[in-house]
Amino acid sequence: MALPKGLAAFPITPCDRHGRVDAVALRRLVARLRSAGVDAVGLLGSTGTFMYLTREQRRTALEVAVDEIAGAAPLMVGVGALRTDDAVELARDATSIGASCGLLAPVSYTPLTEDEAFEHYSTVAREGGLPLCIYDNPGTTHFRFSPELIARLSQVPGIVGVKSPSGLSGETVAHLGDLRARVPAGFSLGYSGDWNVLAPMIAGADVWHSVLGGLLPGICLRIVRAAQNHDEAEARRLDTALGPVWELFRTYSSLRVVYAMAEILGIARAAPPRPILPLSDTARSHVADVIGRLPSELVV
């Protein structure tokens, strides 16, 4: 399987205080993505708080999403776990329920070596029965994939792409070029970090793995399409219009902000899993003020 090019939209996983998945709210979120025509849905990513959910809770979320998306877009699902055997079982669950691809983060308590990461990914790819995308998220996992390790993993059957973090534009574009020279044709090179992702998309990255896209897919799709059509001016104009949202993400973290936004916009009412706390009343008022000032064309 080749990952689709374009926008992979990552919604929250709305749950009650006991971690029970709110199926109605999750359906509403996924339906928005299906209706918008996103290129892929990214379920149970970091925004979907995969590491805070049990195996059964993850299965429930996946069953809801598969049913709602109804084949309209590929479904990428987080299968990360501390133990390799647990990640294999999560990948098998995802395969049996109907996911298209797994997103595997190297979550750990003891920091992994590159050889340990290689064996972890190779085993899950071999035994899980699901195409895998490497999830490079050093801000949470404290493990950074070197270009050499990504190149090595790109040769493993069943590993089809990488989701890398974006940073300073020059460094990220150079990172993209370096990887492009190392991996096979068709190996997906995608980026996350919404406020910095425009540069690699303009430079030819395959996928924007987007937090905001999981809530406001319309404007994020417009940015992706402009970049794909080499309309740099339009892509930059739209990205600049979202500048106040990017500032909220930088200030409060994208996870906390999208939970607040989902409630403010009347899409879903949920709090992040404890011990993560919702935004304070003051911060939430700040988010509401920013959202209220955005042009209506952006809030779709």
Side-chain angles (χ1 to χ4, degrees):
M1 172 203 170
L3 292 178
K5 295 184 178 182
L7 179 69
F10 284 77
I12 63 173
T13 307
C15 298
D16 67 17
R17 62 176 299 180
H18 302 292
R20 292 183 291 250
V21 175
D22 183 340
V24 173
L26 181 57
R27 281 187 180 277
R28 190 180 304 121
L29 285 160
V30 175
R32 285 173 61 85
L33 306 181
R34 173 175 47 78
S35 297
V38 300
D39 300 292
V41 174
L43 191 75
L44 299 174
S46 293
T47 303
T49 58
F50 70 100
M51 281 301 295
Y52 296 89
L53 301 176
T54 66
R55 180 180 178 185
E56 286 308 310
Q57 289 161 348
R58 295 197 205 189
R59 285 183 61 93
T60 298
L62 182 54
E63 287 166 353
V64 169
V66 166
D67 184 62
E68 184 60 41
I69 202 71
L75 187 63
M76 176 186 299
V77 61
V79 294
L82 281 167
R83 292 174 55 92
T84 299
D85 49 359
D86 289 338
V88 168
E89 291 304 316
L90 289 165
R92 289 173 175 169
D93 286 348
T95 301
S96 67
I97 294 169
S100 307
C101 179
L103 181 64
L104 182 59
V107 294
S108 62
Y109 182 80
T110 300
L112 300 180
T113 67
E114 289 207 345
D115 284 342
E116 288 167 342
F118 181 84
E119 289 301 321
H120 179 61
Y121 277 77
S122 299
T123 301
V124 178
R126 183 175 62 252
E127 299 180 10
L130 188 68
L132 292 181
C133 180
I134 300 163
Y135 187 7
D136 188 3
N137 187 7
T140 57
T141 65
H142 309 291
F143 180 88
R144 184 66 193 259
F145 285 81
S146 68
E148 293 79 11
L149 179 56
I150 293 171
R152 187 180 171 197
L153 286 167
S154 73
Q155 303 296 325
V156 174
I159 299 181
V160 298
V162 61
K163 174 181 184 283
S164 297
S166 56
L168 296 176
S169 60
E171 293 177 358
T172 304
V173 170
H175 179 264
L176 171 63
D178 185 23
L179 290 185
R180 189 72 78 193
R182 294 174 183 265
V183 301
F187 188 84
S188 178
L189 299 180
Y191 286 84
S192 60
D194 285 0
W195 55 92
N196 287 322
V197 83
L198 183 62
M201 290 306 297
I202 288 174
D206 297 308
V207 186
W208 175 12
H209 298 271
S210 177
V211 173
L212 188 64
L215 197 60
L216 301 180
I219 180 60
C220 297
L221 272 169
R222 289 172 64 190
I223 293 172
V224 166
R225 298 295 182 252
Q228 290 176 324
N229 293 329
H230 308 291
D231 189 348
E232 182 176 337
E234 176 65 1
R236 291 193 182 280
R237 183 187 72 82
L238 295 170
D239 181 70
T240 298
L242 287 173
V245 178
W246 304 151
E247 185 59 32
L248 289 174
F249 280 13
R250 286 190 290 265
T251 301
Y252 302 117
S253 84
S254 60
L255 175 64
R256 294 177 178 87
V257 170
V258 291
Y259 266 93
M261 287 178 63
E263 183 173 351
I264 291 165
L265 293 170
I267 299 170
R269 183 166 187 168
R274 294 181 295 178
I276 303 171
L277 296 176
L279 292 179
S280 68
D281 289 344
T282 299
R284 189 182 181 283
S285 294
H286 183 196
V287 173
D289 181 63
V290 167
I291 299 307
R293 293 173 183 270
L294 290 176
S296 59
E297 65 166 336
L298 304 185
V299 192
V300 292

